[in-house]
Amino acid sequence: MTDTRGPRPSYEGYANGPLPGDREPASGQASGPYHPPQAYPSPAGGTQGGRPNGTEGAQASRMPRTGARTTPRTRKARLRVAKADPWSVMKVSFLLSIALGICTVVASAVLWMVMDAMGVFSAVGGTLSEATGSNDGGGFDLQSFLSLPRVLLFTSVIALIDVVLATALATLGSFIYNLSAGFVGGVELTLAEDE
């Protein structure tokens, strides 16, 4: 049988020779990584092909691209409030309404003290007692009616009613929101990451 494939190359040099990474560079080639001339633009200072002129072995510094983004991009996420837990809404609204009731009582006490120091109750009370009094005397006494303990008691009752009503309305509102979110999908929020 005759071999028709032709002459085969000799592999003797490859078996005993150095590996491609161990070979000496050819004449005219510089050692180090290859930098193609079109990879780095030539600035006005005088570099060519990524290497400074006159120093062939020196490492080239990369120039930043002009179209590169310098400010970090803010990530945003679009989320949907699908359900509000009525129990958690009731707890939060109860605590907030208690805080609002305490603020109301303190504010009314401070306002009463300021008005009393300014003499508003005595001036208005004197006018009312003269207008409602008779010849025998004894008109409407505003100062005894609007005393500080009575004002604080009245404000505390209003704050207590406010706590009960605000808690009940917030819990009922969470139930209504859950029903409406089942139909329309809920409120959509866009959240952005803080820089």
Side-chain angles (χ1 to χ4, degrees):
M1 188 175 226
T2 313
D3 189 7
T4 58
R5 290 181 291 181
R8 285 187 252 170
S10 173
Y11 295 103
E12 295 172 3
Y14 290 110
N16 300 329
L19 294 174
D22 299 333
R23 293 180 186 153
E24 293 293 326
S27 62
Q29 282 186 341
S31 62
Y34 174 68
H35 298 286
Q38 67 272 17
Y40 306 104
S42 334
T47 59
Q48 174 124 13
R51 294 183 181 157
N53 288 337
T55 56
E56 297 232 353
Q59 282 293 94
S61 62
R62 284 186 76 165
M63 301 296 293
R65 287 185 286 171
T66 55
R69 182 176 298 184
T70 56
T71 58
R73 183 177 171 188
T74 303
R75 292 191 300 175
K76 292 183 180 179
R78 193 167 184 182
L79 302 176
R80 184 168 51 92
V81 182
K83 184 181 179 184
D85 186 25
W87 176 248
S88 64
V89 170
M90 186 184 75
K91 289 189 292 186
V92 170
S93 63
F94 178 70
L95 290 178
L96 289 178
S97 58
I98 283 179
L100 183 63
I102 292 172
C103 291
T104 304
V105 171
V106 171
S108 63
V110 170
L111 183 63
W112 188 91
M113 289 177 189
V114 169
M115 291 177 71
D116 187 43
M118 291 172 60
V120 174
F121 293 126
S122 60
V124 175
T127 306
L128 280 177
S129 63
E130 288 177 7
T132 57
S134 60
N135 293 336
D136 300 334
F140 180 71
D141 190 9
L142 182 66
Q143 285 181 321
S144 63
F145 181 75
L146 289 180
S147 62
L148 182 60
R150 187 175 285 184
V151 168
L152 289 181
L153 179 66
F154 183 69
T155 310
S156 300
V157 170
I158 290 179
L160 186 64
I161 293 171
D162 179 53
V163 167
V164 174
L165 285 179
T167 306
L169 287 176
T171 309
L172 182 65
S174 68
F175 279 112
I176 294 173
Y177 176 79
N178 290 337
L179 287 175
S180 62
F183 292 111
V184 297
V187 176
E188 289 188 357
L189 303 174
T190 302
L191 305 177
E193 190 177 32
D194 195 9
E195 295 182 11

